Each structure stands twice: as structure tokens, then as C-alpha cells.
Amino acid sequence: MTKNLPFCQVSLNIRDRVKDLIGRLTLQEKIRSLVNNAAPVERLGIKGYEWWSEALHGVSNVGPGTKFGGAFPGATSFPQVILTAASFNASLWEAIGRVVSDEARAMYNGGLAGLTYWSPNVNIFRDPRWGRGQETPGEDPAVAARYAASYVRGLQGTAPGNGLKVAACCKHYTAYDLDIWNGVDRFHFNARVSKQDLEDTYNVPFKACVVEGRVASVMCSYNEVNGKPTCADPSLLRGTIRDQWHLNGYIVSDCDSVEVLFKYQRYTATPQDAVAASIKAGLDLDCGPFLAIYTESAVRSGKLTEFDVNAALSNLLTVQMRLGMFDGPRQPYGYLGPRDVCTPAHQQLALEAARQGIVLLQNRGRSLPLSTSRHRTVAVIGPNSDVSVTMIGNYAGVACGYTTPLQGISRYAKTIHQVGCKGVACNDNRLFGLAEGAAHQADATVLVVGLDQSIEAEARDRIGLLLPGHQQELVSRVAKASRGPVVLVVMSGGPIDVTFAKNDRMIGAILWVGYPGQAGGTAIADVLFGTTNPGGKLPMTWYPQDYVSKVSMTSMDMRADPSRGYPGRTYRFYKGSVVFPFGFGLSYTSFRSTLAGAPTTISIPLTTLKTFKNSTMLSHGVRVTHTKCDSLISRLHIDVENVGDMDGTHTLMVFATSPGGKLTPEKKLVAFEKVHVIAGSQRRVRVDIDACKHLSMADKNGIRRIPLGVHNLHIGDDIKHTISLIA
């Protein structure tokens, strides 16, 4: 019987079990295991397996590996990632991962899901028009890196040993942040990226996924990088992910990427060459049928060896065995079932995530919070004022249930509802009169506007940054007609130029609520009426509309180049005007920070005098590989005081400006911590600064160095501290 064969013996080492199983398979059986819908091997009692499942912000049915129905009608739908990132709360990110993996394991036990989830998306939100920016943790590499490692740990579990609760996958590697713009699509795009930008921007979250999160998979992307498809680039895959970062897992293609590099990018002359190039570069699994069709002929023609096939299959089987898929009925998470999905605790966490992410962008004259005694009737107006599915964004599943903005506000006050526009496209103003009338009757007006997946999505990048259609006119007319305070609530993934609203004296407050998940309406209302004190911060820059006229989406350069009128990208390199800056967010209370203790000098030890002589010190700094990083962690102690009259949560951000010349970032975030402080009290926060990780930067050759000299640390608006790095 199969259960007595060595590959089923849990007492044996996984490496030996994998070797035994591969030795029992024919070449054809091996090849049919290299695609997402792996075929069964009935003679060995091995069932077919669908590798493709998604769990971006909750168990999703986007991939064929997961289905809802029967005892599992839905799963907890958390806010879209961009809003969760705005919480700047790493412990929250990991907690969400734990809940999602609980529900994923429960559905696997019920036969409706797999155990391999192609999430998270950790690409950098480089351009504000990108339709998939909503899926990411934002524009900052340090934030994306910490989010990646935290969410992956939550999904995969942190138990000792090599076992996995589920297998996460960080995607899309690398420099992927364009879907379709101005006639250029992701299947034909060659991202021209400098070694410097690749090292200190685009690859940062992926390295953190593998090195810190110990992720079980990385997905290569559709695009080319510097003329090579990422899924066939041995330097990017085998050379970097495996040899440098030491991935313990498998590499998978984005769906049909191998076909794309042959058919659309014309990188190889034959399909067999495409198969050989991809597998030899380090690809293990093809999302799509291409490897199943052409691998055997690639082996027969000598372009590939069976040894190459075995190596890829070994990586796949190892992950499956780490998940317990060959261990029989005694599963480590076998106790999870329907009662563990959509639990009250899980749904409460979804609500808390939305509350923590919402960003207060403006609060003129303390228009917020509203009062249940003074604002008994609230006009709720706008195309997103009573939406449900819009709130869960893309790559979502079936939510446990919804509370729309209108429903949430109705729990606090009597509401008068008008949509104003039929959908976010807002193609005409025929309903504006009804909206103006509602605002004139109410004690306060809440306008819920913004975007949805018809405007920004996968395969749908935006053209500009303004509100679609006639939405701006709707906001201005309703604000003018309102007899009470007006609050603008922006529901979107990407940033929107709302300069008109900032300058409209009739609009008292502006909130950005992302796509806030299944409990979004409750969270919005809780912030509006002060049950929740907002503490979110923007994870991306909000640019003015004229910014996009200066930059092509196809330009991957991060650094500004004034000689050609190129303004640079993200807060680290862009010096122009903004609507709202990265890291911005107000509160109903006020905080004050003081530095309680910090070093003023850090000595960078060199490993040997020889490395010092061999250009260690050239190009403005010490190579990270030529010092002892373990000894370069410095501790800051910062007291955060709540000097207002309301309990609140503060995100303590530490930015650094470093020596190094014109290519050095204006500033960069090096650390952040979330702290809850009761009104009138203070709390001490410990922040660790790792010189190798936080104060280093890549030179033009992509070599990471620690610049010597004075580094200025900026902690909130209150503190500036200098640290001198010497060798």
C-alpha cells in the first residue's frame, strides 16, 4: 500500500521522502506536476492538486484552487492592502495573516481550498496611476518590506521547525508596476531599471519576504527587466532568490508568463527553448499549461535534462511535504472547520483593521467628530455612499457580510440618502438637484466619492488623478448647498487630486478610507462620530494632476533628473508640490515626542584591513558585506505624550537624511512604531536602527554601502538627532 512507501513516512527526513517519490515517477508524471493544475498519479495514490489560490486580504476565490459554498459560504474580507498598510502596524499585519491562514486551513479541511496562496503583492507603488497599487503596501520599500515579512509570518505560521500552516508567495518579481498605459501593456513592457534602483527600491520587499519572512514561494512577473523576461533570467531567479537570499521553497510564473515570453516577447525561437530557458533560470512551476505541453519535447531534443526537471519538482514536493500533504489524515491543523471561518473575533479584526487604516487628511475648525446630539440628521451622498462589493477591492472573496457607509452612519443618526451619480463614472449631473436638496435639509453632510474597479484594477491603469466624470462638480455643489458641516470621504486605492476640496471653505473635513473591507461602513461611521480616533497615515504620496504630465509610466527611474525635466518618484526623490505627503495623517488629539536616549556615534568595524584596501571605502561608504552588521544596531528611546483631550494612537516615524551626494534620497523612512497613548499620559517607545539595513544605500553598481559622516534622524515634527558614522 502507498502509505507504507518511504515518501509517506513522516518519521523520515523530507529530503529523503522527496527523493524517494521522484524516483518512482515517470518523466511524463513529473512534467504534469510542473503546472498549477498538477495531475494525479493514481498508481501511487497521489491526488491532483491545484496550486493556484489567492489570499491577498482574505481567502479569495479568484484562483481555481478555492471555492465557496456549502458549509463555507464566505470568508472574512479585510480591507484592501493599501488601507491596511496605512495603519503602519506590523503586529496587525501579522494578526490578519494568522486569521486568513486559519480560514484557509479550515476550507482546505473541508475540501474547498488549497494550501498554496499566491499572496502578498509587494510591488512598489511607483506611479500613482497604477491600477494595482491598491493591492500593495504603498510606495516605500521599508514599509513594503516590513509588511511583506509580517503578513507572510502570519500566513505561514511561526512554529519551530520547517512546517508550514499555508505556503505564501511574494509577487510579482520584479519591477512590475504597469498593467496597460498609452498602448504599452505588461506582456510587452521592458522595464529598464538601473542596478541602483533595483537594489534599493524594487527588490527590497522581495528580499525581506525571503530572508526575514522565510516565504515559501516567489512569483516572477510578466515584464522584462533590461531586456530579459524575469521568468527566464538566471541572475534574477537562481542567482538572486536562491543563491543570495536562500529561498526555501519554489518559484512560480505569473499565469502564462512562459508562453508570453515566447509568443509576445519573442525571447526564444521555439516553445522548447522557452521551457528550457525558464527551468534552467530557476523556475519550478508554471501557472498555465505551457510546461505540460512542451517540456517532454524539450528533454527529448536535449535542450533540457531530466535532472533539471527533477530539481524543479523537488522544490515543489518539498513545500507540499512541509504543508503535511503527504502525511495522511493526521494533519497539524485538522481541527479547523466551518466554525473557524467568519468568527466574531475574525470579523472584529476586520473592523479594527479598517479603523486603524482610515486617514484624516483635513479637519478645518474641528469639523469632526460629528455629534449625535447636534447632528441628528445626516445627508449621505455620493456614488460610493451605499456600496458593498466596492469596499473589498480586487482579489477578494465572498465576504461574511457587509456594512455599507450609509448603514454605518444610520446607526448614529437619521439619514437622508442620495447617490448623486449612478456609479463612479458619474457621466451626468441630472441627480445633483436631489443631492443638493438633501444636504440643505440635514444637520451635516457626508459625501462618499472616489473610485472602484471600473476605474482602477488589474489590466486597468488610470489616465489621470482627478475624480472621475462629474464627481468634483457634485462635491462642490452639495457643499455649497449644505447648511451644516461637510465631510468628504474618499474611497479609492490610488491617490486622487482633491486640491479643489482642500481649498473649498465649505468642506470642513476630508477622510481617505481606501477600500475598507466588509466592515468599512462601520469603521467610517465610528471615525465620523468619534467612537474611533483616526490614526492612519498615507502610505503613498498624493500628487497634483500636473505631475502625471511630467512622467511617463514606462520610466522606471526613481531619482529626479532636472536636466530632462524628470521630477523623480515617491517622497524619497520627488521634491515638487503635493496634495498630501507620504506619512501624513491627522488625529482628534495631539502628540508630542521627546528623545529620551540615543547614540551620537556609531563605529563601523571592517572585517579585515585587506578589504579596506580593496576599495571598501570607495564610492562614499563601507560595503555592507565588508562589515559586521550584527554589532551595528543602535537603540533609540522616545517618549510619546498625548497632550490632547482624547485617547489616540500615534505612528512614530523615524526618517533619515544621509550623506552621499545628489543621488541620495531626500529622506527615507528607516523605522516606525505604532503606540496607543491615553489622553494626558505618555509612553516610551523603543526604536532599533540597524546601520546595515536602515542607513545603507545602493551605489550606481547596485552595491549596498553605509555612507560615513553625519546622518540626520527626523522623528515626527519635534526631534532632529544626528548620528556620526565613522570607520
Side-chain angles (χ1 to χ4, degrees):
M1 293 180 67
T2 300
K3 68 179 182 180
N4 295 321
L5 295 176
F7 70 83
C8 289
Q9 301 303 306
V10 296
S11 60
L12 296 179
N13 183 284
I14 284 180
R15 183 181 301 173
D16 295 331
R17 296 171 68 189
V18 168
K19 183 178 179 180
D20 175 76
L21 176 52
I22 289 176
R24 297 175 186 276
L25 298 175
T26 66
L27 177 62
Q28 291 78 13
E29 289 169 338
K30 294 172 184 177
I31 289 168
R32 284 294 292 121
S33 297
L34 300 182
V35 289
N36 62 288
N37 56 337
V41 184
E42 294 176 356
R43 66 184 182 85
L44 294 177
I46 299 172
K47 298 178 181 178
Y49 179 69
E50 177 55 69
W51 285 83
W52 181 6
S53 289
E54 302 278 356
L56 183 69
H57 51 108
V59 179
S60 167
N61 57 352
V62 169
T66 302
K67 296 176 175 60
F68 291 105
F72 299 94
T76 307
S77 191
F78 290 89
Q80 182 59 290
V81 175
I82 194 70
L83 186 72
T84 301
S87 71
F88 283 82
N89 186 345
S91 62
L92 172 67
W93 302 336
E94 187 167 337
I96 292 172
R98 286 195 296 270
V99 165
V100 173
S101 57
D102 273 355
E103 298 194 350
R105 267 285 177 174
M107 292 182 66
Y108 171 78
N109 293 339
L112 291 180
L115 289 177
T116 47
Y117 289 85
W118 294 348
S119 303
N121 178 344
V122 297
N123 292 118
I124 298 298
F125 198 171
R126 169 186 62 96
D127 191 291
R129 294 163 288 194
W130 188 32
R132 302 189 72 177
Q134 59 179 297
E135 302 173 29
T136 76
E139 71 180 39
D140 183 75
V143 176
R146 194 166 175 193
Y147 176 88
S150 299
Y151 189 61
V152 166
R153 280 194 292 265
L155 286 176
Q156 296 190 164
T158 55
N162 204 26
L164 294 166
K165 190 178 179 186
V166 304
C169 173
C170 288
K171 62 184 185 183
H172 313 78
Y173 178 79
T174 182
Y176 168 74
D177 47 21
L178 177 150
D179 273 59
I180 182 166
W181 177 83
N182 202 27
V184 180
D185 67 41
R186 56 186 175 168
F187 308 122
H188 298 87
F189 179 47
N190 177 22
R192 299 188 183 278
V193 185
S194 70
K195 293 179 180 179
Q196 188 172 41
D197 285 340
L198 200 63
E199 171 63 28
D200 73 8
T201 297
Y202 297 110
N203 281 358
V204 172
F206 293 99
K207 182 177 182 180
C209 265
V210 177
V211 176
E212 298 172 33
R214 301 177 67 189
V215 75
S217 176
V218 174
M219 176 184 286
C220 51
S221 53
Y222 289 117
N223 56 290
E224 294 176 275
V225 172
N226 299 327
K228 285 187 178 182
T230 64
C231 291
D233 188 333
S235 175
L236 285 177
L237 302 189
R238 195 176 302 281
T240 303
I241 298 176
R242 289 212 181 276
D243 294 347
Q244 291 183 30
W245 300 343
H246 307 296
L247 172 71
N248 180 16
Y250 69 98
I251 298 174
V252 60
S253 73
D254 204 344
C255 294
D256 299 315
S257 285
V258 183
E259 180 183 15
V260 164
L261 70 88
F262 164 70
K263 187 175 181 181
Y264 299 124
Q265 297 169 354
R266 302 187 183 279
Y267 184 68
T268 62
T270 69
Q272 291 79 12
D273 289 328
V275 168
S278 298
I279 291 179
K280 286 181 176 179
L283 187 73
D284 302 308
L285 181 70
D286 179 21
C287 177
F290 204 81
L291 260 59
I293 298 170
Y294 296 109
T295 300
E296 185 173 0
S297 56
V299 173
R300 302 297 182 204
S301 63
K303 297 178 186 294
L304 198 66
T305 68
E306 190 166 354
F307 178 83
D308 296 322
V309 173
N310 290 350
L313 184 57
S314 176
N315 291 326
L316 298 173
L317 293 175
T318 297
V319 168
Q320 288 184 316
M321 289 191 182
R322 291 171 63 196
L323 287 162
M325 291 174 62
F326 288 85
D327 293 355
R330 295 181 63 183
Q331 293 291 316
Y333 301 95
Y335 58 88
L336 294 169
R339 69 181 184 277
D340 300 296
V341 179
C342 288
T343 67
H346 292 182
Q347 296 194 63
Q348 181 64 31
L349 187 64
L351 170 58
E352 183 59 27
R355 286 170 171 164
Q356 289 194 29
I358 290 174
V359 182
L360 178 62
L361 295 173
Q362 178 171 289
N363 196 17
R364 184 181 286 123
R366 300 194 73 168
S367 300
L368 290 178
L370 299 176
S371 164
T372 54
S373 59
R374 289 185 287 110
H375 306 112
R376 297 183 179 183
T377 303
V378 177
V380 184
I381 296 167
N384 280 338
S385 59
D386 195 28
V387 293
S388 54
V389 175
T390 296
M391 295 194 301
I392 61 175
N394 68 351
Y395 278 81
V398 177
C400 309
Y402 295 102
T403 303
T404 72
L406 176 64
Q407 291 169 339
I409 295 168
S410 296
R411 295 174 179 174
Y412 284 94
K414 179 183 177 182
T415 54
I416 308 170
H417 181 232
Q418 290 291 336
V419 292
C421 304
K422 291 183 177 179
V424 294
C426 200
N427 292 320
D428 59 64
N429 60 9
R430 289 180 293 177
L431 301 177
F432 287 11
L434 293 172
E436 290 171 299
H440 189 65
Q441 296 176 52
D443 300 320
T445 297
V446 177
L447 282 144
V448 191
V449 300
L451 312 176
D452 64 14
Q453 301 306 303
S454 70
I455 304 293
E456 57 174 355
E458 184 171 11
R460 186 173 292 124
D461 296 330
R462 285 190 289 162
I463 297 171
L465 304 181
L466 300 176
L467 285 169
H470 292 268
Q471 284 195 50
Q472 181 170 323
E473 180 189 352
L474 171 68
V475 172
S476 297
R477 283 177 54 173
V478 167
K480 186 176 181 180
S482 179
R483 67 180 176 89
V486 178
V487 182
L488 180 65
V489 176
V490 180
M491 188 180 293
S492 70
I496 298 175
D497 183 351
V498 290
T499 302
F500 80 97
K502 281 181 67 178
N503 296 336
D504 189 335
R505 304 297 300 179
M506 300 301 296
I507 298 174
I510 304 173
L511 288 172
W512 175 67
V513 300
Y515 294 120
Q518 64 176 48
T522 300
I524 291 168
D526 288 347
V527 170
L528 289 172
F529 283 90
T531 303
T532 295
N533 188 350
K537 305 287 185 183
L538 289 179
M540 72 298 205
T541 302
W542 283 38
Y543 301 90
Q545 167 69 11
D546 66 1
Y547 173 81
V548 298
S549 67
K550 302 172 185 175
V551 288
S552 164
M553 260 194 95
T554 59
S555 178
M556 303 297 291
D557 294 338
M558 297 301 297
R559 288 157 171 82
D561 184 356
S563 68
R564 58 185 176 97
Y566 186 69
R569 294 187 179 277
T570 77
Y571 80 94
R572 293 185 301 143
F573 301 105
Y574 171 68
K575 303 176 186 178
S577 62
V578 300
V579 181
F580 294 108
F582 171 87
F584 181 76
L586 303 173
S587 172
Y588 295 152
T589 190
S590 299
F591 298 95
R592 183 169 58 212
S593 301
T594 54
L595 188 62
T600 57
T601 303
I602 300 176
S603 180
I604 310 295
L606 300 176
T607 49
T608 67
L609 185 60
K610 181 179 179 180
T611 58
F612 181 92
K613 291 180 178 178
N614 287 343
S615 78
T616 295
M617 299 295 295
L618 298 182
S619 301
H620 311 293
V622 177
R623 285 194 186 196
V624 166
T625 55
H626 292 176
T627 187
K628 299 174 182 178
C629 290
D630 292 345
S631 64
L632 296 179
I633 297 175
S634 301
R635 185 156 293 170
L636 279 61
H637 293 282
I638 301 151
D639 291 331
V640 179
E641 184 180 5
N642 184 339
V643 295
D645 55 8
M646 187 175 187
D647 297 353
T649 303
H650 179 60
T651 297
L652 185 72
M653 294 183 172
V654 181
F655 291 92
T657 56
S658 301
K662 63 181 181 180
L663 296 180
T664 304
E666 277 291 290
K667 64 176 182 178
K668 66 173 182 176
L669 185 66
V670 295
F672 58 90
E673 295 296 336
K674 195 87 167 181
V675 56
H676 184 79
V677 189
I678 297 169
S681 67
Q682 73 174 31
R683 290 186 60 184
R684 178 159 292 184
V685 181
R686 190 190 81 188
V687 176
D688 290 335
I689 303 295
D690 181 336
C692 286
K693 180 178 177 181
H694 298 134
L695 300 181
S696 67
M697 60 190 68
D699 65 17
K700 285 186 175 182
N701 296 313
I703 298 170
R704 190 162 284 277
R705 299 177 183 273
I706 305 171
L708 300 180
V710 175
H711 294 249
N712 292 309
L713 301 183
H714 305 269
I715 305 167
D717 297 325
D718 306 314
I719 304 171
K720 179 180 177 182
H721 178 71
T722 61
I723 296 180
S724 295
L725 270 57
I726 60 174

